[in-house]
């Protein structure tokens, strides 16, 4: 038997699990206080739903569940059994597909606009490597059924509040609109079918600068005319919203300005939010606004999201406006653990030791301390000193020996 | 695409999810305050571990995960692919196997005795039927590495405290010892190989009485001598601990008495705990004390557990004493929901409505209310009355319209 967890998954030690719980609760409470409601959905989804979902490359990473009993026998007896015929369900690879299904299944019992929280585990059969987990936590809020840019504002204010709550305060919100991206590519004269390739190159602007982007576009053999026209947009050094307004539908720019202005106003200018024309974000399903949060000390985004108006309604065969924002929980947890994070304002943990025949009385004593402390009761170990070292390593704050009248001894007071 | 969740699993509506979260947190806090620490383990376990675990019939209910890529191709190419060769992992069917693996994997980082909380989802491919879920929550505390009966006392006091915390206060703890059960069967002269069959019949004592047990034993054609000797134990009407003491090892009785006396003493006689010689409990892995909690208004047990000294050490090839207590979370949740449970002491939820162009100000106003309320901000709907009805149905307590100076209107004050 193997004592390690399966590749790409993790056992969390008590202190780690406590920090995960604390962070999740802090985020959850912020979301709830802002009027969002948590739902939960099963980890298992129907294979048909997973296969037809818009997961892009994630569809190749689904953990599939083997059929059982007669169904399995039939599949095997067919002589041409394959992945598809052998499995009837799979583990979800994100929380958006379950949310779409859930909304279709429970629409009549839900308030619309539906302001929803999902914080739960998802599964991807990634090649195991550092920082890539096969079982991980996603932490999403979504607003379903609100076509107005107010939904974006609500999400940005709520998500940044949650980030502040868990100690991430030095950050910038980057914002763009998929339709602006399309418009500037079209204005330059690129083929629409090249948009994805173009986006991948343009996304590197922050790293390689406009000269680097130009070089990569040239290397990829795009039309020289289109490249020149595209690069000319950056003549003044950067591309601001006013310049963009000249080459795309005014509505896109108005909506971004409204979102940015409102976020600044409501937050008293405490939230930095900047138009970032090269922001792309991966998921193919975004249809409008896209945004992400960059924070000091974190490489890559700590949160990201956008508007996806064609996805939620898939089960209902109608377009339903939706916008979501997801916190990169595992990335944040990983960094906080490395930094030696401690849970703020937590009740202290102490141990109460007892000698033979005083267990009942020691329990009563321990109970009397539980308003102030989290209290574990232990038989007094033979090697008390060694055990005390272990307690300290396990984040205990101190101990008391029942029957000795010197009360609680805190380690940091020694 | 199918909008219903897969058979035997559930979508939880916002109010249901909130109640589940509340109950889980109330239980978790009680456990933590009593010095237990939460851990989390992956939902996926290695197939080898699952197959070799002591799950009894649950081993037939494992959701198996299909191999991927080259491994799958090889299994299929072999020509005799079967369940075993096609899968390399499975979903855990309980939390005890993962706990054993976890303890072996992390022993050096853990404090022993290890007082551990697990509250998480498990999976069983049951035939879907009312009250049988394929994805459900287990809620366990265990003490690993403490051979003394003090561990049982700690678990019983802590679990009953958690039950009280979630509103279950009219209950009885039934307690027995597997070794006593064995001893009285042996005393009567039954064959040891018949113990399981005997236990199944004896377990019905509460329902069918001693005459019914006698009738079933006779019908099952056990030796008449043994039946008579067994039934004679109940001559005085019931079988108490003093009578049991005459036919089994004194230590078993002493330990049960100690547990019962200590629980009564520490709880000031507020916990009813009774020796129940016919208590059997299903799992084959129990080796000593067994117990369960029966509560008024609940059929069957609301919590159960016992000592299992041979299981945790399986990965380490040594016997490690362990005792656990599990709350029947889904059963309790089901009954509470039917009874129209409301979360005690919860912040009230209200809506703030805004008219066009006042969104930013309405957000600032909403934020000012969030110390007292959970506040959702909505554009004022065209049909306000209809929307208010929906809010009330969704457990909102009231609303305010930004810009109207009459403030918050609570529904129950109307």
């Amino acid at each position: 038997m193997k004592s390690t967890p399966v590749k790409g998954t993790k056992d969390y030690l008590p202190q780690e699990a406590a920090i995960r719980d604390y962070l999740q609760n802090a985020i959850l409470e912020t979301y709830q206080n802002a009027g969002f409601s948590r739902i939960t959905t099963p980890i298992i989804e129907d294979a048909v739903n997973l296969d037809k979902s818009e997961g892009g490359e994630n569809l190749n990473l689904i953990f599939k569940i083997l059929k059982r009993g007669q169904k399995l026998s039939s599949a095997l007896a067919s002589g041409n059994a394959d992945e598809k015929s052998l499995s009837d369900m799979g583990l979800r690879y994100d929380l958006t597909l379950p949310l779409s299904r859930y909304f279709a299944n429970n629409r009549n019992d839900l308030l619309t606009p539906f302001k929803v929280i999902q914080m739960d585990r998802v599964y991807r059969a990634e090649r195991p490597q550092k920082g890539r987990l096969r079982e991980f936590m996603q932490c999403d809020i979504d607003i379903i059924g609100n076509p107005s840019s107010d939904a974006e504002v609500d999400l940005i204010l709520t998500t940044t509040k949650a980030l502040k709550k868990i100690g991430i305060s030095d950050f910038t919100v980057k914002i763009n609109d998929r339709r602006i991206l399309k418009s500037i590519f079209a204005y330059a004269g690129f083929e629409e079918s090249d948009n994805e390739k173009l986006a991948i190159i343009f996304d590197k602007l922050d790293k390689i600068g406009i000269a680097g982007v130009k070089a990569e576009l040239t290397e990829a053999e795009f039309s020289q005319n289109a490249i020149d026209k595209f690069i000319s947009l950056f003549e003044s050094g950067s591309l601001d919203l006013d310049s963009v307004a000249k080459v795309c539908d005014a509505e896109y720019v108005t909506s971004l300005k409204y979102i940015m202005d409102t976020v600044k106003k409501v937050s008293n200018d405490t939230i930095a939010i900047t138009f970032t024309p090269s922001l792309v974000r991966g998921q193919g399903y975004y249809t409008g606004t896209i945004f992400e949060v960059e924070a000091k000390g974190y490489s890559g985004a700590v949160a990201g999201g956008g508007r996806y108006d064609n996805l939620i309604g898939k089960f209902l065969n109608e377009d339903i406006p939706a916008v979501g924002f997801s916190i990169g929980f595992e990335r944040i947890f990983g960094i906080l653990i490395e930094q030696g994070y401690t849970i703020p304002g937590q009740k202290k943990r102490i141990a109460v030791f007892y000698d033979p025949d005083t267990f009942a009385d020691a329990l009563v004593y321990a109970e009397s301390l539980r308003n102030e402390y989290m209290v574990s009761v232990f038989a007094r170990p033979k090697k008390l000193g060694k055990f005390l070292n272990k307690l300290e390593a396990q984040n205990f704050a101190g101990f008391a020996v029942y029957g000795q009248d010197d009360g609680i001894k805190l380690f940091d007071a020694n």
Side-chain angles (χ1 to χ4, degrees), chain A:
Chain A
M1 290 168 89
K2 291 186 195 169
S3 64
T4 50
V6 297
K7 264 190 289 184
T9 69
K10 280 188 157 186
D11 286 340
Y12 291 102
L13 289 172
Q15 294 97 312
E16 293 171 331
I19 290 172
R20 290 174 75 83
D21 277 349
Y22 171 79
L23 295 172
Q24 286 164 26
N25 279 330
I27 295 168
L28 180 62
E29 277 171 22
T30 307
Y31 288 169
Q32 286 174 330
N33 207 26
F36 290 77
S37 300
R38 185 183 200 173
I39 62 164
T40 54
T41 56
I43 278 170
I44 310 171
E45 285 285 344
D46 205 288
V48 180
N49 292 347
L50 290 166
D51 288 344
K52 290 191 180 168
S53 65
E54 302 206 12
E57 288 186 8
N58 290 332
L59 297 190
N60 301 322
L61 302 177
I62 295 174
F63 282 112
K64 300 188 173 185
I65 292 175
L66 197 60
K67 286 181 178 172
R68 297 148 305 283
Q70 186 50 46
K71 281 187 186 171
L72 177 62
S73 312
S74 305
L76 285 171
S78 75
N80 52 7
D82 61 8
E83 221 175 13
K84 208 175 172 101
S85 70
L86 287 168
S87 83
D88 54 353
M89 313 179 204
L91 303 190
R92 60 181 176 203
Y93 59 82
D94 75 0
L95 299 176
T96 307
L97 169 72
L99 179 60
S100 310
R101 189 194 52 65
Y102 179 97
F103 187 73
N105 189 36
N106 300 288
R107 193 180 191 179
N108 294 334
D109 294 316
L110 303 172
L111 196 67
T112 315
F114 183 41
K115 299 173 68 168
V116 59
I117 307 163
Q118 292 190 98
M119 296 176 63
D120 219 333
R121 292 192 263 202
V122 302
Y123 297 83
R124 293 182 194 167
E126 306 261 11
R127 260 183 76 172
Q129 50 180 298
K130 193 179 168 344
R132 286 262 161 160
L133 291 169
R134 295 179 136 196
E135 177 185 58
F136 59 98
M137 194 74 192
Q138 284 196 336
C139 219
D140 298 359
I141 41 176
D142 294 84
I143 298 179
I144 300 175
N146 187 356
S148 143
S149 303
D150 292 350
E152 276 88 337
V153 173
D154 204 351
L155 287 183
I156 292 169
L157 288 169
T158 305
T159 298
T160 50
K161 205 173 164 191
L163 290 173
K164 285 181 186 171
K165 186 81 176 279
I166 58 172
I168 299 173
S169 49
D170 195 353
F171 58 76
T172 303
V173 180
K174 295 165 140 191
I175 189 164
N176 195 11
D177 191 306
R178 270 282 162 84
R179 296 167 304 177
I180 291 179
L181 212 52
K182 270 192 185 173
S183 300
I184 60 179
F185 291 151
Y187 162 82
F190 292 113
E191 301 288 333
E192 198 181 335
S193 57
D194 285 331
N195 276 358
E196 204 171 322
K197 278 189 207 164
L198 291 162
I200 291 170
I201 295 173
F202 191 33
D203 194 25
K204 302 181 191 170
L205 179 67
D206 279 359
K207 284 186 194 149
I208 63 180
I210 192 66
V213 169
K214 187 177 179 179
E216 288 211 13
L217 290 174
T218 308
E219 198 185 345
E221 298 185 351
F222 286 105
S223 127
Q224 197 56 50
N225 274 348
I227 295 176
D228 290 343
K229 202 165 172 193
F230 183 73
I231 298 298
S232 73
L233 283 168
F234 294 81
E235 259 176 350
S236 68
S238 69
L239 179 60
D240 62 18
L241 265 181
D242 290 329
S243 317
V244 165
K246 291 172 198 153
V247 304
C248 77
D249 193 324
E251 182 210 324
Y252 310 157
V253 170
T254 312
S255 126
L256 279 193
K257 278 193 172 163
Y258 173 76
I259 294 168
M260 293 166 68
D261 289 346
T262 313
V263 165
K264 284 179 192 164
K265 185 174 172 189
V266 177
S267 73
N268 266 326
D269 270 320
T270 60
I271 293 173
I273 179 165
T274 59
F275 169 60
T276 308
S278 60
L279 178 69
V280 171
R281 294 205 52 76
Q283 283 83 344
Y285 55 69
Y286 290 125
T287 56
T289 331
I290 46 178
F291 32 78
E292 62 183 36
V293 182
E294 266 190 2
K296 205 180 154 187
Y298 291 83
S299 67
V302 293
R307 184 168 279 279
Y308 54 102
D309 286 346
N310 306 331
L311 196 60
I312 288 289
K314 250 194 131 173
F315 285 85
L316 296 163
N317 285 320
E318 55 180 297
D319 280 358
I320 291 176
V323 52
F325 211 157
S326 182
I327 289 181
F329 183 82
E330 299 295 353
R331 165 170 288 167
I332 293 172
F333 172 73
I335 298 273
L336 291 180
I337 279 284
E338 277 177 21
Q339 294 173 346
Y341 186 82
T342 54
I343 299 172
Q346 197 188 26
K347 255 189 188 176
K348 286 179 176 158
R349 277 168 79 79
I350 60 164
V352 166
F353 296 108
Y354 64 96
D355 293 307
D357 299 325
T358 65
F359 182 51
D361 297 324
L363 282 175
V364 173
Y365 172 63
E367 191 60 27
S368 74
L369 300 174
R370 286 197 172 118
N371 274 333
E372 192 171 351
Y373 300 99
M374 296 192 281
V375 186
S376 282
V377 179
F378 295 101
R380 191 207 301 236
K382 279 174 204 148
K383 296 178 178 174
L384 185 63
K386 207 175 158 192
F387 197 83
L388 292 178
N389 289 342
K390 280 191 185 170
L391 285 183
E392 210 169 348
Q394 298 281 335
N395 281 341
F396 276 69
F399 68 99
V401 180
Y402 175 72
Q404 292 186 1
D405 50 11
D406 46 359
I408 299 163
K409 282 160 285 248
L410 294 176
F411 293 129
D412 60 10
N414 282 353

